[in-house]
Amino acid sequence: MDRFEKRAMALALSLVLMFFGLVVYAAKGLQADLPTCLPNARLFDRGRLVEIGPNRYQVDAVAFMWGFDMGTLNQIKLPRGAVVDFYVTSRDVVHGYHIDKTLVNLKAVPGAVTYSRVKFDRAGEYQIICHEYCGLGHQNMAGKVIVE
Ligand code: CUA
């Protein structure tokens, strides 16, 4: 192995280690779980927002043509610093569920539940959009997380 190959191998290995470190930092430091599909999760067809602990929340979100049911329609309010588990499904076709300025970027799939966790450190409004073309009303599918 010549000197150039050794350098290339060292660079590749350091990039892999750096990437792994960033994944661990995102999971532990930012409390952002990797988006997951939960094949054995309980199914639900109504949205809800539940407080499950001190500043800990669970949101069951149901996407439909054309909106998001999260207990209230298209909008939820949370206190600053809230750590939220999002469980997302769909009532009809495949939709998207992306929360702006967060790592929540899920598919809403009928008969399945996808999951992501996020901590809202900053007050403000976070737009929720459907990023999967789902029909004629796709462009109207928007929601909001309001952090106070
Ligand atoms: Cu729902 Cu696009």
Side-chain angles (χ1 to χ4, degrees):
M1 194 184 294
D2 78 359
R3 209 176 57 199
F4 182 74
E5 282 178 310
K6 283 182 185 168
R7 281 189 194 159
M9 294 288 283
L11 178 66
L13 183 64
S14 62
L15 285 173
V16 168
L17 291 174
M18 187 177 76
F19 182 74
F20 184 74
L22 286 171
V23 169
V24 171
Y25 170 70
K28 299 296 177 191
L30 304 177
Q31 296 195 358
D33 278 357
L34 295 176
T36 314
C37 183
L38 307 170
N40 300 317
R42 79 209 146 70
L43 291 172
F44 51 90
D45 60 2
R46 286 173 160 259
R48 64 184 185 142
L49 166 64
V50 189
E51 189 167 2
I52 56 174
N55 225 3
R56 289 277 290 112
Y57 295 86
Q58 175 180 329
V59 173
D60 292 346
V62 181
F64 61 93
M65 293 177 179
W66 277 278
F68 300 105
D69 174 9
M70 298 175 288
T72 52
L73 202 57
N74 293 334
Q75 185 170 303
I76 51 174
K77 286 184 183 177
L78 296 164
R80 198 162 73 87
V83 176
V84 187
D85 294 329
F86 285 94
Y87 295 88
V88 178
T89 190
S90 171
R91 197 173 286 162
D92 38 46
V93 300
V94 175
H95 297 275
Y97 192 85
H98 171 66
I99 305 178
D100 196 25
K101 298 182 278 187
T102 73
L103 299 176
V104 178
N105 185 356
L106 299 168
K107 295 280 188 219
V109 182
V113 176
T114 52
Y115 165 81
S116 190
R117 175 180 293 167
V118 69
K119 183 176 183 190
F120 291 96
D121 278 323
R122 294 196 188 139
E125 292 189 357
Y126 298 72
Q127 302 297 322
I128 303 172
I129 60 159
C130 175
H131 55 55
E132 180 77 27
Y133 181 70
C134 53
L136 290 175
H138 164 71
Q139 75 278 4
N140 301 324
M141 258 187 97
K144 204 181 279 183
V145 176
I146 299 168
V147 178
E148 308 180 301

